[in-house]
Amino acid sequence: MKIGLKILTVVVVALLAGGCGSSDKGGEDESNYDGWVLTEWKGGDALAGTVYLQLGEDGTFTLYQSIKTFGYAKYTGTYTISAVPEAGQVLSGTYTDGTPLDNTYVVEKMTKKELRLRAQKDGIVSVYSGVTIPALVKDGITGKSLRMTVETKAFL
């Protein structure tokens, strides 16, 4: 009887301990996310490099990208998301220097965890995962004088 009681006690304690665990499987607090990182492009992994995107509630965007460069190039501008019949929500915008975004994008999904954009010109899908953009990216070395190429403009 004592052995059965000890086993039952161990089982109950194990069940209670397991029930008290966090329901957050990823271990990250989504409420701290301030942007997204490009994780998939053209149906595969992102290019050899890193692209971060922030969309401000005030209609501004910041794009940090490190593709074939040292550090991060920082690009800023304004954006709008408009309802377009037959397309849904469409993101368009202009860089600070007045250059329009290379494309307009159908917003297929937009949550703190994921942003899916489909380019209207060629249908390329960009998938971004929610992140807290590291301070070293925001405040670190940037290639401010770098010019975007056709290849890098495709991300936004």
Side-chain angles (χ1 to χ4, degrees):
M1 174 76 175
K2 287 185 180 184
I3 293 176
L5 187 57
K6 286 181 182 179
I7 292 174
L8 179 61
T9 302
V10 170
V11 169
V12 169
V13 170
L15 289 173
L16 288 174
C20 293
S22 170
S23 63
D24 181 17
K25 293 182 170 112
E28 289 188 56
D29 183 2
E30 291 175 34
S31 65
N32 291 330
Y33 290 169
D34 62 356
W36 297 274
V37 62
L38 183 65
T39 55
E40 188 178 317
W41 188 64
K42 288 188 173 182
D45 293 339
L47 292 177
T50 307
V51 177
Y52 290 99
L53 172 64
Q54 281 184 306
L55 297 176
E57 291 180 15
D58 61 354
T60 60
F61 72 83
T62 306
L63 182 67
Y64 303 93
Q65 56 187 35
S66 178
I67 300 173
K68 300 179 184 178
T69 63
F70 177 76
Y72 285 84
K74 178 180 177 181
Y75 303 98
T76 59
T78 58
Y79 76 95
T80 58
I81 296 178
S82 308
V84 174
E86 298 159 17
Q89 299 291 316
V90 175
L91 182 144
S92 59
T94 306
Y95 291 99
T96 303
D97 69 0
T99 305
L101 297 180
D102 187 50
N103 221 320
T104 55
Y105 300 88
V106 174
V107 180
E108 294 183 342
K109 183 176 184 179
M110 186 176 196
T111 66
K112 284 277 207 181
K113 280 188 163 184
E114 184 177 2
L115 174 64
R116 291 180 64 88
L117 302 174
R118 181 175 33 85
Q120 286 195 299
K121 279 185 187 175
D122 53 20
I124 292 175
V125 175
S126 301
V127 179
Y128 293 82
S129 295
V131 294
T132 301
I133 299 175
L136 81 106
V137 171
K138 293 179 185 178
D139 304 328
I141 299 170
T142 59
K144 292 181 182 180
S145 64
L146 299 174
R147 299 298 300 168
M148 283 191 292
T149 66
V150 174
E151 180 182 44
T152 59
K153 271 188 165 181
F155 295 112
L156 184 65

